[in-house]
Amino acid sequence: MTQEGPGQSPSTVAAKRELRAALRARRRAVVAARDLAEDASALARHVLDLAGDMASQQSADGEGGPLALSYESLPHEPPTGELNRALVAAGWRVLVPLTLPDLDLDWCDVTDPERTPLGLDAPSRADLALVPGLAADPFGTRLGQGGGSYDRALARLSPPAPVVLLLHPGERTDEPLPAEPHDRSVSAVLTVEGVTPSWARGRARRPSPPGRPTR
């Protein structure tokens, strides 16, 4: 549910709501035509390329290896199960969110069967964040599901950590998306076709794109 708060424009909230409905319908049609098992393998390959680049540039987390934020995908989202396992096998610690009653995000280790909460501030130690959403524009504006969960979580990231949005091919739009001051931008978009950096003030944000760029 979209949560309107202080400083939010009613017209922007309404525009986002209408756009989300259209994007969800389009996503259902896209997923029906895709081989999600093949997509899962392609995303895992691209994420390992990206993670290797990040690990060579960033300091390891204090618990023995680099730390990635990821998530457990829903049926219509780009599949994350294989890429999460690939990151763990490559020596990364992977945290996934636990949604709280107020829609804020706690985190747990993806390998922890007890799903022990690690605290709201877990993102502050991350070297890389892989996040969900419905669309992005070339300037890094991300359209999420409307609860504001990731806007709050991404505000707790260490500033150098790249934020990479996972989308299906064709979900990155060339048109600017509606945005508000609290919206958190992304560094790049990742699809099965590769990584496309976002742009800000005429310059590409990190990370540099391995593989073939998304159109």
Side-chain angles (χ1 to χ4, degrees):
M1 177 181 297
T2 301
Q3 296 185 331
E4 187 174 349
Q8 288 187 292
S9 162
S11 62
T12 303
V13 171
K16 284 183 173 182
R17 186 182 300 117
E18 182 177 348
L19 185 55
R20 284 189 186 100
L23 291 172
R24 287 175 182 133
R26 185 178 73 174
R27 174 168 279 187
R28 287 192 292 271
V30 167
V31 169
R34 297 202 64 80
D35 182 333
L36 293 183
E38 185 175 313
D39 285 359
S41 296
L43 288 170
R45 290 193 300 270
H46 290 309
V47 165
L48 286 179
D49 286 343
L50 184 58
D53 182 57
M54 294 298 100
S56 69
Q57 297 179 39
Q58 299 170 349
S59 62
D61 130 290
E63 297 187 48
L67 179 66
L69 303 183
S70 186
Y71 61 100
E72 295 163 308
S73 55
L74 298 174
H76 289 116
E77 293 177 328
T80 60
E82 188 168 338
L83 71 85
N84 289 341
R85 292 189 293 272
L87 282 172
V88 171
W92 284 67
R93 189 180 188 206
V94 177
L95 305 186
V96 293
L98 303 170
T99 304
L100 301 175
D102 66 353
L103 300 184
D104 208 340
L105 299 179
D106 205 328
W107 300 84
C108 68
D109 193 306
V110 73
T111 65
D112 177 9
E114 302 299 324
R115 302 181 73 82
T116 305
L118 299 174
L120 299 180
D121 65 344
S124 67
R125 303 186 296 277
D127 299 298
L128 172 66
L130 304 173
V131 302
L134 291 168
D137 67 20
F139 306 101
T141 306
R142 167 188 166 271
L143 188 69
Q145 295 288 354
S149 301
Y150 272 89
D151 291 322
R152 282 180 277 181
L154 296 180
R156 302 175 183 125
L157 278 174
S158 175
V163 180
V164 179
L165 172 62
L166 272 62
L167 295 176
H168 295 293
E171 291 185 327
R172 180 179 181 271
T173 176
D174 292 332
E175 298 298 322
L177 292 170
E180 297 166 277
H182 68 272
D183 289 335
R184 298 289 166 170
S185 61
V186 299
S187 310
V189 168
L190 172 64
T191 75
V192 297
E193 296 172 334
V195 178
T196 301
S198 302
W199 293 82
R201 297 178 184 172
R203 299 182 65 185
R205 299 182 184 183
R206 292 172 62 199
S208 299
R212 185 160 63 93
T214 305
R215 294 183 181 273

